[in-house]
Amino acid sequence: MRKLYSAILFIAFGTTFLFAQQPQKPTSSEIYQKLEKLNFLGSALYIAAHPDDENTRLISYLANDVKANTAYLSLTRGDGGQNLVGPEIRELLGVIRTQELLAARRTDGGNQLFTRANDFGYSKHPDETLAIWNEKEVLSDVVRAIRKFKPDVVINRFNHRNPGSTHGHHTSSAMLSFEAFDLVGDKTKYEETVATFGIWQPKRLLFNTSWWFYGSREKFEKADKSKLLEVETGNYYPSLGLSNGEIASLSRSMHKSQGFGSTGTRGSQTEYLEFLKGDFPSDKSNLFDGIDTSWSRVEGGAPIGILLSKVTKAFNFTDPSASVPQLIEAYKMINQLPDGHWKRIKLSKIKQLITDCSGLFLEAIASVQRVSPKGEMKVAIEAINRSNASIKLNSVTSPIISFPTTLIATPLLPNKKEVLESVEGTFSGTTYTAPYWLNEKGSLGMYKVSDPSLIGLPETTNQFPVEFNMTIEGVQIKMVRNIVYKFNDPVKGEMYRPFQVLPEVTSSISEKVLIFATSEAQEIPVKVSAGRDGISGMVSLQHPKGWVVTPSQQTFNLARTGEEQTLLFNVQPPANQSEGLIKPLVQIGDSFYNEELVTLDYDHIPYQSVLLPSEAKVVRINIQKKGQKIGYIEGAGDAVPESLKQIGYSVTTIAPKEITKENLAPFDAIVVGIRAYNTVPELEFSQTVLNNYVNQGGNLIIQYNTNHRMVTKDIAPYEIKLSRDRVTDEHSEVEILAPNHAVLNSPNKIIPSDFDGWVQERGLYFPNEWDDAYTPILGMHDKGSKQTKGSLLVAKHGEGHYIYTGLSFFRELPAGVPGAYRLFANLLSIGN
């Protein structure tokens, strides 16, 4: 995976820091922002379907202007989309987008929640969406989120009343929210969450509408606005030096895998919210109108609000520690309140404020970045009081590692660092630190999460807590820090990574799909990686019936953590078409391991370690091909070049600046990667060269592009118009429109069964208008939709052929779909 370490600026509640695991070091202005939020007791929950669906302007406004406790509930993790920063798709893309959402929330000041719904790809209707998701379970997760977060205001991003007019996931998110609003206050519904979180009834449900939902600005101007609330979201925050629009743009720019970099905006901006349910506000500019958002809403809380108002008014920007004594008094008062929702939230917030104001720095650093269960590691503690506040460190404890019990209460003198090391050989952690929602095999539409306490969380937090038992201004307070790993990069300096517990051994096959175009055997390398020092054992390769693997097992011996050894197995396919999985199985003593470790190292998210089943798909295909040398112009990123190499093609990547007549001439075919005309600026000036290549006898294959933000509309020698037409049902019937055309007959005869076993979809963004020079090859449609004929278009141009296809080869080839390989080989072979 990529190794990119450049620092990124994040604004989290106004706090600048690199990643979630790095300690916060807020400025006085940022502390003041937190102090203002401490005196507001109101919550808002924004609900939509995917990462990037959220309106960051409104979330930032609620969190930073209104000062509300704000969260975004994304029903999915965005696994079904495309990736503009790397090759990862499906589960790994979901991990990336989860972290991008967390980065966005650290930027705009919100919190992040999820359901167990899996983004299985584009859906045309909520009926399909809810059938695949398991409507009852996703609805239960929405109910859980509302009962747990207890929002006063719930805001839908999408309209629940227009099923079939937009993405089925979008409409479903609104429909489920609309239904949940009436369920969360009923103790007879979803009783398992009643027992844990109690019932709750939000004050009102709103729909975050805009002129776009009305079809045009003109229609919106004429519409009845009696049920619309209007809020100003363009305000400027002097203490942060940013407008709300600028913060929102920084937040949206965190969605880098989707190419959603956003330019900051300044000036007045109005957001419209349509009232759907609950109590209609008297003041339509105040989303919390009629809701008590003061400390008076909590029994015995009014004096706390009075005290905190005094603290805020007297806040000393040159010496925030002057507020510590009064914050300690407020902490004691909050601690004496009856147990409840706001007590838990505000205790956590005020402890952080006490830490911030006193300049108290607490950190627990692991000696290694990863360790196997109960492995050898140490933790070094640093504690320093950078103020004149009276602070003592009484003890340091942890449920997973031991510290010396001889520690006596140690005064933390101003700016004098105290350090402490854990007792050697006492680490007891056993739970792996991979994304929890991938621990069990789910379904097409749902992740399986057996532990109810994890449902809805963006990730597992505080797996390795260290408790600092302090006395601050005479009051005992427990501060908790998670163990992290820190190292020095020669260029970047201080760098943080999550501390992780991972298996003592992992294995992997680098190629996830292995294509056998003939009955000849192939050598398959299996890489074994050590998760601890001094490890040895046996490796065997499980395989489908009819396949032969030799030798049956091999030994390995690894001396150091991180050391790798590659073992070669000879895999013989059957004579006829066949497919299945081969799975490395590692044995160490009486223990067996079958997991692969995948790391994601991008500069805009924390370092991620993901555990997946160690396996590869093997496919014996009866396939013929013509031509050999393929030139590939990369687009937004896909694994098609690697897939073509699997069936014996020689594939050369052509840099955009190298698209010249001379450079293209040697190739039997040129393939342009997905969304290249959306992401490669140089193609604006290269189409004439590509058209001339075709005219001189070349074969040019253009894969799908979106019709939005194209670098040029001239993507073909003849007129072609892209649309949003797509076929989302991978099982939909395919009609052969041109049965005698070469692309269906040579060198492979394409038959209906070649469209069996496709994954996620048939294709997307098909052209819906084209010149008569094109021949439409295939017809297909989703249930209830009219047939589209633009999935595969072929035109003769001069001596060569131009092909445009929206078929999802970028999904089908890496998934090892035999028919997709056979059809793509025909596309490459035409004219040869």
Side-chain angles (χ1 to χ4, degrees), residues 13 35 42 69 94 127 141 251 264 272 312 323 334 359 395 430 463 510 547 580 586 626-627 647 696 777:
F13 300 91
L35 188 55
N69 189 30
D127 288 350
D141 289 357
S251 174
Y272 297 91
T312 304
S323 299
I334 296 172
S395 64
T430 58
Q463 284 184 279
S510 59
W547 296 69
V586 183
K626 297 178 181 178
I647 55 175
Q696 296 300 313
I777 305 298

PDB file of all heavy atoms in Angstrom, residues 13 35 42 69 94 127 141 251 264 272 312 323 334 359 395 430 463 510 547 580 586 626-627 647 696 777:
ATOM      1  N   PHE A  13     -13.228  20.885  16.408  1.00  0.00           N
ATOM      2  CA  PHE A  13     -13.724  21.786  17.436  1.00  0.00           C
ATOM      3  C   PHE A  13     -12.757  22.960  17.552  1.00  0.00           C
ATOM      4  O   PHE A  13     -12.517  23.494  18.614  1.00  0.00           O
ATOM      5  CB  PHE A  13     -13.834  21.072  18.797  1.00  0.00           C
ATOM      6  CG  PHE A  13     -14.756  19.905  18.783  1.00  0.00           C
ATOM      7  CD1 PHE A  13     -14.288  18.645  18.505  1.00  0.00           C
ATOM      8  CD2 PHE A  13     -16.112  20.069  19.029  1.00  0.00           C
ATOM      9  CE1 PHE A  13     -15.141  17.564  18.498  1.00  0.00           C
ATOM     10  CE2 PHE A  13     -16.963  18.989  19.019  1.00  0.00           C
ATOM     11  CZ  PHE A  13     -16.475  17.746  18.754  1.00  0.00           C
ATOM     12  N   LEU A  35     -15.508  25.930  25.762  1.00  0.00           N
ATOM     13  CA  LEU A  35     -16.167  26.449  26.961  1.00  0.00           C
ATOM     14  C   LEU A  35     -17.578  26.927  26.629  1.00  0.00           C
ATOM     15  O   LEU A  35     -18.534  26.681  27.380  1.00  0.00           O
ATOM     16  CB  LEU A  35     -15.334  27.581  27.546  1.00  0.00           C
ATOM     17  CG  LEU A  35     -15.745  28.144  28.914  1.00  0.00           C
ATOM     18  CD1 LEU A  35     -15.832  27.036  29.958  1.00  0.00           C
ATOM     19  CD2 LEU A  35     -14.749  29.216  29.346  1.00  0.00           C
ATOM     20  N   GLY A  42     -28.139  20.904  23.946  1.00  0.00           N
ATOM     21  CA  GLY A  42     -29.047  20.572  22.868  1.00  0.00           C
ATOM     22  C   GLY A  42     -28.317  19.741  21.838  1.00  0.00           C
ATOM     23  O   GLY A  42     -27.107  19.893  21.643  1.00  0.00           O
ATOM     24  N   ASN A  69     -24.580  19.715  20.393  1.00  0.00           N
ATOM     25  CA  ASN A  69     -23.964  18.395  20.256  1.00  0.00           C
ATOM     26  C   ASN A  69     -24.512  17.788  18.965  1.00  0.00           C
ATOM     27  O   ASN A  69     -25.697  17.469  18.879  1.00  0.00           O
ATOM     28  CB  ASN A  69     -24.332  17.536  21.472  1.00  0.00           C
ATOM     29  CG  ASN A  69     -23.572  16.232  21.510  1.00  0.00           C
ATOM     30  OD1 ASN A  69     -22.444  16.157  21.035  1.00  0.00           O
ATOM     31  ND2 ASN A  69     -24.175  15.208  22.086  1.00  0.00           N
ATOM     32  N   GLY A  94     -14.456   0.845   2.213  1.00  0.00           N
ATOM     33  CA  GLY A  94     -15.288   1.199   3.360  1.00  0.00           C
ATOM     34  C   GLY A  94     -14.471   1.634   4.560  1.00  0.00           C
ATOM     35  O   GLY A  94     -14.868   2.538   5.311  1.00  0.00           O
ATOM     36  N   ASP A 127     -37.332  -0.109  -2.512  1.00  0.00           N
ATOM     37  CA  ASP A 127     -37.809  -1.483  -2.324  1.00  0.00           C
ATOM     38  C   ASP A 127     -36.654  -2.463  -2.447  1.00  0.00           C
ATOM     39  O   ASP A 127     -36.514  -3.396  -1.639  1.00  0.00           O
ATOM     40  CB  ASP A 127     -38.885  -1.817  -3.359  1.00  0.00           C
ATOM     41  CG  ASP A 127     -40.207  -1.105  -3.085  1.00  0.00           C
ATOM     42  OD1 ASP A 127     -40.336  -0.513  -1.994  1.00  0.00           O
ATOM     43  OD2 ASP A 127     -41.084  -1.129  -3.954  1.00  0.00           O
ATOM     44  N   ASP A 141     -31.237  -0.121  13.936  1.00  0.00           N
ATOM     45  CA  ASP A 141     -30.005   0.632  14.153  1.00  0.00           C
ATOM     46  C   ASP A 141     -30.262   2.135  14.163  1.00  0.00           C
ATOM     47  O   ASP A 141     -29.619   2.883  14.916  1.00  0.00           O
ATOM     48  CB  ASP A 141     -28.978   0.298  13.070  1.00  0.00           C
ATOM     49  CG  ASP A 141     -28.405  -1.100  13.212  1.00  0.00           C
ATOM     50  OD1 ASP A 141     -28.762  -1.782  14.183  1.00  0.00           O
ATOM     51  OD2 ASP A 141     -27.607  -1.501  12.358  1.00  0.00           O
ATOM     52  N   SER A 251     -13.978  20.403   5.716  1.00  0.00           N
ATOM     53  CA  SER A 251     -14.564  19.123   6.098  1.00  0.00           C
ATOM     54  C   SER A 251     -14.878  18.282   4.868  1.00  0.00           C
ATOM     55  O   SER A 251     -14.517  17.104   4.793  1.00  0.00           O
ATOM     56  CB  SER A 251     -15.842  19.364   6.909  1.00  0.00           C
ATOM     57  OG  SER A 251     -16.515  18.154   7.173  1.00  0.00           O
ATOM     58  N   GLY A 264     -13.101  26.911  -0.171  1.00  0.00           N
ATOM     59  CA  GLY A 264     -13.791  27.602   0.912  1.00  0.00           C
ATOM     60  C   GLY A 264     -14.649  28.748   0.422  1.00  0.00           C
ATOM     61  O   GLY A 264     -14.307  29.441  -0.546  1.00  0.00           O
ATOM     62  N   TYR A 272     -32.217  25.800   3.992  1.00  0.00           N
ATOM     63  CA  TYR A 272     -33.661  25.639   4.142  1.00  0.00           C
ATOM     64  C   TYR A 272     -33.971  24.253   4.705  1.00  0.00           C
ATOM     65  O   TYR A 272     -33.398  23.258   4.261  1.00  0.00           O
ATOM     66  CB  TYR A 272     -34.352  25.825   2.796  1.00  0.00           C
ATOM     67  CG  TYR A 272     -34.187  27.207   2.222  1.00  0.00           C
ATOM     68  CD1 TYR A 272     -33.128  27.496   1.367  1.00  0.00           C
ATOM     69  CD2 TYR A 272     -35.080  28.225   2.549  1.00  0.00           C
ATOM     70  CE1 TYR A 272     -32.961  28.772   0.840  1.00  0.00           C
ATOM     71  CE2 TYR A 272     -34.928  29.501   2.030  1.00  0.00           C
ATOM     72  CZ  TYR A 272     -33.866  29.774   1.176  1.00  0.00           C
ATOM     73  OH  TYR A 272     -33.708  31.043   0.667  1.00  0.00           O
ATOM     74  N   THR A 312     -17.033  31.701  31.455  1.00  0.00           N
ATOM     75  CA  THR A 312     -16.893  32.114  30.055  1.00  0.00           C
ATOM     76  C   THR A 312     -16.638  33.610  29.964  1.00  0.00           C
ATOM     77  O   THR A 312     -15.760  34.063  29.213  1.00  0.00           O
ATOM     78  CB  THR A 312     -18.163  31.747  29.266  1.00  0.00           C
ATOM     79  OG1 THR A 312     -18.411  30.353  29.389  1.00  0.00           O
ATOM     80  CG2 THR A 312     -18.004  32.100  27.804  1.00  0.00           C
ATOM     81  N   SER A 323      -8.990  29.779  34.884  1.00  0.00           N
ATOM     82  CA  SER A 323     -10.358  29.240  34.945  1.00  0.00           C
ATOM     83  C   SER A 323     -10.426  27.893  35.649  1.00  0.00           C
ATOM     84  O   SER A 323     -11.535  27.410  35.924  1.00  0.00           O
ATOM     85  CB  SER A 323     -10.915  29.082  33.521  1.00  0.00           C
ATOM     86  OG  SER A 323     -10.990  30.311  32.844  1.00  0.00           O
ATOM     87  N   ILE A 334     -21.436  18.978  38.522  1.00  0.00           N
ATOM     88  CA  ILE A 334     -21.944  18.047  37.496  1.00  0.00           C
ATOM     89  C   ILE A 334     -21.863  16.620  38.018  1.00  0.00           C
ATOM     90  O   ILE A 334     -22.781  15.806  37.810  1.00  0.00           O
ATOM     91  CB  ILE A 334     -21.130  18.194  36.185  1.00  0.00           C
ATOM     92  CG1 ILE A 334     -21.330  19.582  35.589  1.00  0.00           C
ATOM     93  CG2 ILE A 334     -21.546  17.128  35.175  1.00  0.00           C
ATOM     94  CD1 ILE A 334     -20.419  19.881  34.407  1.00  0.00           C
ATOM     95  N   GLY A 359      -3.032  23.088  30.722  1.00  0.00           N
ATOM     96  CA  GLY A 359      -1.890  22.656  29.907  1.00  0.00           C
ATOM     97  C   GLY A 359      -1.386  21.289  30.319  1.00  0.00           C
ATOM     98  O   GLY A 359      -0.210  20.965  30.139  1.00  0.00           O
ATOM     99  N   SER A 395      -1.617   7.793  40.841  1.00  0.00           N
ATOM    100  CA  SER A 395      -1.277   6.450  40.366  1.00  0.00           C
ATOM    101  C   SER A 395      -1.592   6.354  38.884  1.00  0.00           C
ATOM    102  O   SER A 395      -2.322   7.174  38.322  1.00  0.00           O
ATOM    103  CB  SER A 395      -2.060   5.381  41.137  1.00  0.00           C
ATOM    104  OG  SER A 395      -3.452   5.508  40.895  1.00  0.00           O
ATOM    105  N   THR A 430      -5.506  -9.246  24.122  1.00  0.00           N
ATOM    106  CA  THR A 430      -5.680 -10.395  23.227  1.00  0.00           C
ATOM    107  C   THR A 430      -6.582 -10.094  22.036  1.00  0.00           C
ATOM    108  O   THR A 430      -6.584 -10.842  21.066  1.00  0.00           O
ATOM    109  CB  THR A 430      -6.283 -11.588  23.990  1.00  0.00           C
ATOM    110  OG1 THR A 430      -7.536 -11.203  24.555  1.00  0.00           O
ATOM    111  CG2 THR A 430      -5.345 -12.051  25.098  1.00  0.00           C
ATOM    112  N   GLN A 463      -9.271   0.759  23.183  1.00  0.00           N
ATOM    113  CA  GLN A 463      -9.048  -0.662  23.439  1.00  0.00           C
ATOM    114  C   GLN A 463      -7.923  -0.882  24.435  1.00  0.00           C
ATOM    115  O   GLN A 463      -7.840  -1.929  25.058  1.00  0.00           O
ATOM    116  CB  GLN A 463      -8.710  -1.375  22.128  1.00  0.00           C
ATOM    117  CG  GLN A 463      -9.901  -1.607  21.221  1.00  0.00           C
ATOM    118  CD  GLN A 463      -9.517  -2.404  19.999  1.00  0.00           C
ATOM    119  OE1 GLN A 463      -8.987  -1.866  19.041  1.00  0.00           O
ATOM    120  NE2 GLN A 463      -9.778  -3.692  20.023  1.00  0.00           N
ATOM    121  N   SER A 510      -0.665 -12.579  -3.230  1.00  0.00           N
ATOM    122  CA  SER A 510      -0.730 -11.198  -3.709  1.00  0.00           C
ATOM    123  C   SER A 510      -1.796 -10.997  -4.764  1.00  0.00           C
ATOM    124  O   SER A 510      -2.510  -9.999  -4.752  1.00  0.00           O
ATOM    125  CB  SER A 510       0.638 -10.757  -4.243  1.00  0.00           C
ATOM    126  OG  SER A 510       1.053 -11.594  -5.302  1.00  0.00           O
ATOM    127  N   TRP A 547      -8.730 -29.527  -8.583  1.00  0.00           N
ATOM    128  CA  TRP A 547      -7.454 -28.825  -8.678  1.00  0.00           C
ATOM    129  C   TRP A 547      -6.418 -29.612  -7.888  1.00  0.00           C
ATOM    130  O   TRP A 547      -6.731 -30.262  -6.890  1.00  0.00           O
ATOM    131  CB  TRP A 547      -7.568 -27.408  -8.130  1.00  0.00           C
ATOM    132  CG  TRP A 547      -8.502 -26.528  -8.914  1.00  0.00           C
ATOM    133  CD1 TRP A 547      -9.855 -26.636  -9.000  1.00  0.00           C
ATOM    134  CD2 TRP A 547      -8.147 -25.413  -9.723  1.00  0.00           C
ATOM    135  NE1 TRP A 547     -10.377 -25.654  -9.809  1.00  0.00           N
ATOM    136  CE2 TRP A 547      -9.350 -24.874 -10.271  1.00  0.00           C
ATOM    137  CE3 TRP A 547      -6.937 -24.800 -10.040  1.00  0.00           C
ATOM    138  CZ2 TRP A 547      -9.360 -23.773 -11.111  1.00  0.00           C
ATOM    139  CZ3 TRP A 547      -6.962 -23.678 -10.881  1.00  0.00           C
ATOM    140  CH2 TRP A 547      -8.146 -23.185 -11.414  1.00  0.00           C
ATOM    141  N   GLY A 580     -13.045 -21.473  -8.012  1.00  0.00           N
ATOM    142  CA  GLY A 580     -13.155 -21.718  -6.577  1.00  0.00           C
ATOM    143  C   GLY A 580     -12.129 -20.891  -5.837  1.00  0.00           C
ATOM    144  O   GLY A 580     -11.562 -19.938  -6.388  1.00  0.00           O
ATOM    145  N   VAL A 586      -2.074 -21.763   7.951  1.00  0.00           N
ATOM    146  CA  VAL A 586      -0.802 -21.794   8.670  1.00  0.00           C
ATOM    147  C   VAL A 586      -1.014 -22.492  10.013  1.00  0.00           C
ATOM    148  O   VAL A 586      -1.934 -22.153  10.758  1.00  0.00           O
ATOM    149  CB  VAL A 586      -0.256 -20.372   8.898  1.00  0.00           C
ATOM    150  CG1 VAL A 586       1.105 -20.438   9.593  1.00  0.00           C
ATOM    151  CG2 VAL A 586      -0.145 -19.623   7.580  1.00  0.00           C
ATOM    152  N   LYS A 626      -6.466 -12.579 -29.405  1.00  0.00           N
ATOM    153  CA  LYS A 626      -5.629 -12.134 -30.510  1.00  0.00           C
ATOM    154  C   LYS A 626      -4.931 -10.851 -30.086  1.00  0.00           C
ATOM    155  O   LYS A 626      -5.457 -10.068 -29.318  1.00  0.00           O
ATOM    156  CB  LYS A 626      -6.461 -11.878 -31.762  1.00  0.00           C
ATOM    157  CG  LYS A 626      -7.164 -13.109 -32.330  1.00  0.00           C
ATOM    158  CD  LYS A 626      -8.001 -12.735 -33.540  1.00  0.00           C
ATOM    159  CE  LYS A 626      -8.736 -13.941 -34.098  1.00  0.00           C
ATOM    160  NZ  LYS A 626      -9.594 -13.573 -35.270  1.00  0.00           N
ATOM    161  N   GLY A 627      -3.740 -10.629 -30.666  1.00  0.00           N
ATOM    162  CA  GLY A 627      -2.971  -9.468 -30.246  1.00  0.00           C
ATOM    163  C   GLY A 627      -2.257  -9.755 -28.941  1.00  0.00           C
ATOM    164  O   GLY A 627      -2.607 -10.694 -28.201  1.00  0.00           O
ATOM    165  N   ILE A 647      -4.203 -13.110 -18.169  1.00  0.00           N
ATOM    166  CA  ILE A 647      -4.537 -13.972 -19.308  1.00  0.00           C
ATOM    167  C   ILE A 647      -3.506 -13.834 -20.425  1.00  0.00           C
ATOM    168  O   ILE A 647      -3.776 -14.157 -21.579  1.00  0.00           O
ATOM    169  CB  ILE A 647      -5.962 -13.702 -19.834  1.00  0.00           C
ATOM    170  CG1 ILE A 647      -6.164 -12.224 -20.182  1.00  0.00           C
ATOM    171  CG2 ILE A 647      -6.997 -14.152 -18.816  1.00  0.00           C
ATOM    172  CD1 ILE A 647      -7.522 -11.931 -20.820  1.00  0.00           C
ATOM    173  N   GLN A 696      -5.758   4.916 -38.174  1.00  0.00           N
ATOM    174  CA  GLN A 696      -4.645   4.219 -38.821  1.00  0.00           C
ATOM    175  C   GLN A 696      -4.678   2.710 -38.563  1.00  0.00           C
ATOM    176  O   GLN A 696      -3.728   2.010 -38.904  1.00  0.00           O
ATOM    177  CB  GLN A 696      -3.317   4.794 -38.321  1.00  0.00           C
ATOM    178  CG  GLN A 696      -3.095   6.251 -38.686  1.00  0.00           C
ATOM    179  CD  GLN A 696      -3.091   6.472 -40.190  1.00  0.00           C
ATOM    180  OE1 GLN A 696      -2.443   5.729 -40.930  1.00  0.00           O
ATOM    181  NE2 GLN A 696      -3.821   7.484 -40.650  1.00  0.00           N
ATOM    182  N   ILE A 777     -24.318  -3.193 -29.070  1.00  0.00           N
ATOM    183  CA  ILE A 777     -24.090  -4.639 -29.037  1.00  0.00           C
ATOM    184  C   ILE A 777     -25.041  -5.350 -28.085  1.00  0.00           C
ATOM    185  O   ILE A 777     -25.525  -6.450 -28.364  1.00  0.00           O
ATOM    186  CB  ILE A 777     -22.635  -4.944 -28.634  1.00  0.00           C
ATOM    187  CG1 ILE A 777     -21.651  -4.210 -29.564  1.00  0.00           C
ATOM    188  CG2 ILE A 777     -22.366  -6.438 -28.637  1.00  0.00           C
ATOM    189  CD1 ILE A 777     -21.758  -4.617 -31.019  1.00  0.00           C
TER     190      ILE A 777
END
